[in-house]
Amino acid sequence: MADSSFDIVSKVERQEVDNALNQAAKEISQRYDFKGVGASISWSGEKILMEANSEDRVNAILDVFQSKLIKRGISLKALDAGEPQLSGKEYKIFASIQEGISQDNAKKVAKLIRDEGPKGVKAQVQGDELRVSSKSRDDLQTVIALLKNQDFDFALQFVNYR
């Protein structure tokens, strides 16, 4: 019988992020505490730009956006938000969405699987994802449970389970 396997990836659906951004923009335009303060959230190239006239307001915009991401099932570990920066009279926060597992992070996950996972489970780095294979599907389930209990500083999804 062939080995069973699954892939570990760190991907974010761009459409879901776009929907969360649009919902946050709508809420910001309608909320009383954001009236007349120049509060906005929008795409700026590949980054997300949040603007307001005070540091507290721009942090509040970030909170609104984060709550919309959570409601859409997107891990906040994928959101890399910078610190508020003063630009003229406006405060700005630039945030980016991180996708893919870096080589260093993939090696950390592979090492964890080797050290703490069941015997006979193999992990291979393939570009920005990690393929985990084993003869036993139960071992793969154990590896998934092990990784879900870890607190990595990046988001993980498990795909192509077969």
Side-chain angles (χ1 to χ4, degrees), residues 66-79:
Q66 287 175 335
S67 71
K68 299 301 179 190
L69 286 174
I70 290 170
K71 285 182 181 174
R72 292 218 152 277
I74 297 171
S75 171
L76 291 183
K77 292 177 181 178
L79 180 70

Side-chain angles (χ1 to χ4, degrees), residues 90-152:
E90 297 267 306
Y91 280 89
K92 297 181 178 187
I93 294 179
F94 284 99
S96 60
I97 303 295
Q98 295 177 320
E99 289 197 291
I101 301 174
S102 71
Q103 290 292 331
D104 292 341
N105 290 337
K107 287 177 184 174
K108 281 184 207 169
V109 173
K111 183 175 179 354
L112 179 78
I113 291 170
R114 269 195 314 275
D115 294 348
E116 298 183 26
K119 298 286 179 241
V121 175
K122 296 186 285 291
Q124 300 173 294
V125 178
Q126 296 181 334
D128 61 350
E129 56 185 46
L130 196 69
R131 163 115 352 128
V132 180
S133 58
S134 172
K135 292 200 181 312
S136 165
R137 286 182 166 227
D138 292 340
D139 288 350
L140 294 179
Q141 293 287 346
T142 305
V143 169
I144 290 174
L146 170 74
L147 294 176
K148 282 185 177 178
N149 289 335
Q150 297 297 315
D151 187 30
F152 294 110

Side-chain angles (χ1 to χ4, degrees), residues 43-56:
W43 285 104
S44 174
E46 283 297 305
K47 293 188 178 279
I48 298 162
L49 171 64
M50 294 163 254
E51 297 178 293
N53 66 356
S54 75
E55 191 171 346
D56 293 337

Side-chain angles (χ1 to χ4, degrees), residues 79-92:
L79 180 70
D80 182 23
E83 293 297 313
Q85 301 168 340
L86 184 59
S87 172
K89 293 183 178 179
E90 297 267 306
Y91 280 89
K92 297 181 178 187

